[in-house]
Amino acid sequence: MPPAKPWNHNIAYFPFIEKVARSQSRRSAIDVGTGDGMLAARLAEFIPIVVGLDVDEAQADAAAAAHPSVPGLRFETGDVLTKHPKEEPFDFVACSATIHHLDLMPALRRLRELTAPGGTLVIVGLATNSSALDWLIAAASAVPVRLARIGRGWHDHGAPRQDPRDSWTEVRRAVRAELPDSQWRRRFYWRYSVVWNRASA
């Protein structure tokens, strides 16, 4: 029997991110907080230029070692708030399970800046519970989440972990303020998604 494919709550959303990326032709992409580089490598299968960016040098080096000789793919070390890759802005910007490590409003503004006119930004993030409804939804999700993990090969990405500081309400309000006309959805595995298409110049 073949081994189970690597899986965790972040990888579970890679097909969603890829589907959005494939919705139109993209010349360039950046994976912000690339970690082990798995998402960046998947984007490089159909996008000519892909940059995997991570603030942790060891993570970026390990990602480069894990995905050698992938055409158009490279990994860089740096803080997304201050790092300026030479290809900036990008046709597609992905930020998966990373934005809760940053100050929310500056991060949203920087991700908006990284997105080229006519391009798309996708965020998959985490938030903290702050209301009775939040806790009720979290409790109701616990059993289905555990059942969904049965039989899957759990993948430990090795990146530093941090609990989210911003509540669901705070995230939703910030997204509406900084990314007008974006699509915000609360999702399974205690995550939310944001899809924002920047208007063409």
Side-chain angles (χ1 to χ4, degrees), residues 3 15 21 51 70 76 93-94 99 107-108 115 120-121 125 133 143 152 162 165 176 180 191 193 195:
V51 176
V70 177
E76 295 188 2
V93 178
I99 199 167
L108 288 172
T115 308
T120 303
L121 164 64
L133 179 59
V143 172
R152 298 182 184 271
Q162 179 173 304
R165 296 163 291 182
R176 287 174 177 171
R191 276 153 174 74
S193 69
V195 178

Side-chain angles (χ1 to χ4, degrees), residues 187-200:
R187 290 182 171 269
F188 205 44
Y189 304 126
W190 303 293
R191 276 153 174 74
Y192 64 85
S193 69
V194 178
V195 178
W196 179 67
N197 295 301
R198 184 167 188 170
S200 299

Side-chain angles (χ1 to χ4, degrees), residues 9-121:
H9 295 162
N10 298 330
I11 296 172
Y13 283 99
F14 287 2
F16 162 71
I17 296 171
E18 288 180 69
K19 182 179 179 181
V20 177
R22 289 179 182 273
S23 64
Q24 66 185 65
S25 178
R26 315 281 184 181
R27 178 187 58 83
S28 62
I30 184 169
D31 177 23
V32 177
T34 193
D36 56 21
M38 189 179 297
L39 176 59
R42 290 171 68 152
L43 293 174
E45 293 176 5
F46 58 94
I47 299 178
I49 299 171
V50 178
V51 176
L53 179 66
D54 204 285
V55 71
D56 188 302
E57 184 175 7
Q59 283 279 296
D61 289 347
H67 306 283
S69 305
V70 177
L73 174 64
R74 77 173 190 279
F75 295 94
E76 295 188 2
T77 301
D79 185 336
V80 66
L81 297 179
T82 56
K83 181 78 172 183
H84 293 274
K86 63 183 180 181
E87 295 86 358
E88 180 182 338
F90 294 85
D91 296 332
F92 186 75
V93 178
C95 183
S96 176
T98 296
I99 199 167
H100 68 284
H101 290 265
L102 307 168
D103 289 334
L104 181 59
M105 297 296 276
L108 288 172
R109 293 175 190 137
R110 177 63 181 136
L111 292 173
R112 183 181 65 197
E113 184 180 66
L114 278 169
T115 308
T120 303
L121 164 64

Side-chain angles (χ1 to χ4, degrees), residues 128-140:
T128 190
N129 298 325
S130 64
S131 69
L133 179 59
D134 291 337
W135 286 107
L136 181 62
I137 293 173

